Amino acid sequence: AQTVTQSQPEMSVQEAETVTLSCTYDTSESNYYLFWYKQPPSRQMILVIRQEAYKQQNATENRFSVNFQKAAKSFSLKISDSQLGDTAMYFCASRGGYQKVTFGTGTKLQVIP
Amino acid sequence: GAGVSQSPSNKVTEKGKDVELRCDPISGHTALYWYRQRLGQGLEFLIYFQGNSAPDKSGLPSDRFSAERTGESVSTLTIQRTQQEDSAVYLCASSSWDSGNTIYFGEGSWLTVV
């Protein structure tokens, strides 16, 4: 079984500042993938970043990076130089083996001008 | 197709009517998911298809909900005798090992039951 926990229902950040969204997970699989998805008001789910568990190096995508702590089962998302367009709901997710993907409950991020 | 396609985009139906929502996954994707998302809420898992394995129906909220998938292609989610609490966006997603397990979502079908 897999679980994904996002303990921050809502967060806010000033434009151009840095914010970190938390996520912890649990899985019995040895080979698994972790994801962060963004859902803006348009409702379209967009992949932000993906991490393969066997890779120790933290994934980065432009202003987005993760802090993957495998032993602690932690997978936080850091957004640098926050922009108004980053305002959205962010979901953390995990998938191992052929198990279905499991999503957290989401963190609503508001970027303040 | 290039992405996950869902139809209809919007559906308004009267309470008690049946509705069918369709999902065309990305070609070659073996895994397909249905989620329900009520306004301001998170994703509620409904059903998961993986290849030729028996689907995981553990998220279906009642026997009014059912879903079928033809091989590794189109899926249909059927809601019978719709209720007002069924009003939500229904999201379909697909993935495969070849795509690095990344889950790709459609734009959703907005269902309003009046």
Side-chain angles (χ1 to χ4, degrees), chain A residues 51-96:
Chain A
Q51 176 81 42
E52 297 166 51
Y54 66 87
K55 289 186 176 180
Q56 294 190 354
Q57 186 173 7
N58 289 326
T60 62
E61 287 288 341
N62 300 313
R63 297 182 295 106
F64 299 87
S65 62
V66 298
N67 183 5
F68 175 43
Q69 300 287 329
K70 192 170 184 178
K73 297 184 177 178
S74 171
F75 183 62
S76 60
L77 175 69
K78 185 172 83 171
I79 306 174
S80 303
D81 186 26
S82 297
Q83 300 176 0
L84 296 178
D86 296 333
T87 292
M89 183 76 91
Y90 287 81
F91 293 96
C92 179
S94 168
R95 188 186 187 201

Side-chain angles (χ1 to χ4, degrees), chain A residues 37 39 44 50 95 97-98, chain B residues 37 48 97 100-101 103 107:
Chain A
Y37 281 85
Q39 189 181 41
Q44 176 66 55
R50 184 176 74 105
R95 188 186 187 201
Y98 284 100
Chain B
Q37 188 176 32
Y48 164 54
W97 282 104
N101 260 316
I103 302 96
E107 295 187 355

Side-chain angles (χ1 to χ4, degrees), chain B residues 50-114:
Chain B
Q50 174 60 60
N52 295 319
S53 301
D56 178 349
K57 302 180 180 181
S58 61
L60 295 178
S62 76
D63 59 8
R64 296 188 297 107
F65 288 73
S66 63
E68 300 291 332
R69 188 181 186 192
T70 307
E72 294 184 352
S73 60
V74 172
S75 176
T76 302
L77 176 68
T78 302
I79 308 173
Q80 297 178 309
R81 305 181 302 281
T82 51
Q83 304 294 314
Q84 287 186 330
E85 62 262 29
D86 299 336
S87 295
V89 175
Y90 290 83
L91 292 166
C92 178
S94 70
S95 71
S96 75
W97 282 104
D98 293 343
S99 67
N101 260 316
T102 299
I103 302 96
Y104 295 90
F105 283 83
E107 295 187 355
S109 292
W110 287 79
L111 175 65
T112 303
V113 181
V114 297

Side-chain angles (χ1 to χ4, degrees), chain A residues 1-8 21-27 32-37 73-76 90-96 99-107, chain B residues 35 43:
Chain A
Q2 298 178 128
T3 60
V4 177
T5 302
Q6 293 179 251
S7 58
Q8 304 153 315
L21 279 56
S22 300
C23 173
T24 58
Y25 65 93
D26 196 9
T27 179
Y32 55 93
Y33 294 80
L34 300 166
F35 309 89
W36 278 98
Y37 281 85
K73 297 184 177 178
S74 171
F75 183 62
S76 60
Y90 287 81
F91 293 96
C92 179
S94 168
R95 188 186 187 201
Q99 294 190 41
K100 65 179 182 285
V101 64
T102 299
F103 284 89
T105 51
T107 296
Chain B
Y35 294 90
L43 299 173

